């Protein structure tokens, strides 16, 4: 369809991120495709240790130093609403020092099982990611942090209505994505698009 494809990459450490990237990039080069971009999900806690690449800022720099020279397509970094503003600012400073980079605000927000009314042992890691509308205020605050750094932003945390899209755009986002809302209502995307056309 001539649309760009976003490829989200995760891993346990820099080596796994790099290997995953290299294998995918090699396959895409063989097909001759050029309409794609990568996103490094440095904030997913679903790792063996529960740690993420974004918990260790120097490892993010090591990763970007390896992969940025390997491709000319845009590269993004997906950040966590659980990180404090200082950490987000540090990540933004790193990202803006490379060409063709963007930030994805954000990811799910970690909650303990008990915080959401479940038994302590009801989830393997004692908790999981809260998504949807409740995390939108944090997403908007994150967008403002990165806007001030001049980094292009995709807003994905808690977006579910045209009002959310407009609020994220006003805060500084240039692209918008959603997942939880799409699961809850498969028609929300055409409704949002139709509303944007009319407004």
């Amino acid at each position: 369809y001539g649309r760009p494809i976003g490829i989200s990459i995760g891993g346990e450490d820099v080596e796994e991120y790099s290997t995953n990237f290299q294998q995918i990039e090699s396959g895409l080069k063989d097909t001759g495709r050029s309409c794609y971009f990568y996103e490094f999900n440095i904030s997913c806690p679903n790792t063996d240790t529960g740690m993420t690449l974004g918990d260790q800022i120097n490892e993010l720099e090591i990763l970007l130093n390896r992969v940025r020279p390997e491709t000319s397509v845009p590269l993004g970094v997906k950040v966590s609403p659980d990180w404090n503003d200082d950490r987000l600012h540090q990540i933004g400073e790193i990202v803006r020092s490379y060409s063709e980079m963007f930030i994805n605000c954000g990811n799910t927000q970690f909650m303990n099982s008990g915080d959401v009314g479940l038994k302590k042992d009801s989830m393997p890691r004692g908790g999981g990611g809260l998504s949807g509308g409740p995390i939108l205020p944090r997403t908007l605050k994150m967008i403002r942090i990165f806007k001030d750094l001049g980094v292009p932003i995709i807003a994905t945390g808690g977006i579910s209505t045209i009002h959310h899209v407009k609020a994220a755009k006003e805060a500084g986002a240039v692209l918008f994505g959603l997942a939880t809302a799409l699961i809850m209502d498969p028609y929300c995307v055409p409704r949002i698009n139709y509303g944007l056309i009319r407004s």
Side-chain angles (χ1 to χ4, degrees):
Y1 297 102
R3 300 280 197 272
I5 297 172
I7 301 157
S8 186
I9 295 178
E12 293 286 336
D13 51 35
V14 170
E15 294 303 323
E16 190 169 11
Y17 275 91
S18 298
T19 300
N20 292 343
F21 163 78
Q22 288 163 0
Q23 289 177 346
I24 295 167
E25 179 69 2
S26 174
L28 286 168
K29 281 182 177 174
D30 289 345
T31 68
R33 296 182 189 276
S34 59
C35 195
Y36 61 94
F37 63 90
Y38 291 103
E39 168 193 273
F40 293 99
N41 186 350
I42 65 166
S43 55
C44 179
N46 298 320
T47 60
D48 289 341
T49 63
M51 296 291 289
T52 69
L53 196 70
D55 292 324
Q56 301 166 30
I57 297 292
N58 63 316
E59 293 202 356
L60 173 60
E61 287 191 272
I62 292 168
L63 174 65
L64 294 179
N65 283 335
R66 285 188 189 181
V67 301
R68 181 67 281 177
E70 299 294 321
T71 183
S72 61
V73 304
L75 299 178
V77 173
K78 188 172 188 177
V79 296
S80 171
D82 292 326
W83 292 331
N84 65 37
D85 294 356
D86 287 341
R87 162 109 1 181
L88 296 175
H89 195 274
Q90 287 178 311
I91 291 169
E93 291 285 1
I94 291 168
V95 167
R96 77 176 185 166
S97 69
Y98 296 85
S99 63
E100 299 296 319
M101 295 287 299
F102 66 89
I103 292 280
N104 183 342
C105 301
N107 212 327
T108 58
Q109 195 163 22
F110 185 83
M111 291 284 179
N112 291 311
S113 303
D115 294 337
V116 291
L118 300 173
K119 293 180 182 176
K120 265 190 172 181
D121 58 353
S122 59
M123 293 189 216
R125 291 186 170 92
L130 177 68
S131 62
I135 65 171
L136 181 65
R138 179 60 177 154
T139 298
L140 296 176
K141 187 172 182 183
M142 292 164 67
I143 292 168
R144 292 184 192 102
I145 291 169
F146 293 112
K147 179 188 177 188
D148 288 346
L149 292 171
V151 180
I153 303 153
I154 297 178
T156 56
I159 305 289
S160 59
T161 71
I162 187 172
H163 305 293
H164 297 163
V165 170
K166 288 181 175 181
K169 184 176 181 181
E170 188 176 311
V174 295
L175 290 173
F176 316 91
L178 43 86
T180 302
L182 188 61
I183 293 166
M184 303 300 288
D185 175 13
Y187 299 102
C188 68
V189 172
R191 254 200 314 277
I192 290 171
N193 286 338
Y194 180 69
L196 290 171
I197 290 168
R198 291 180 54 121
S199 63

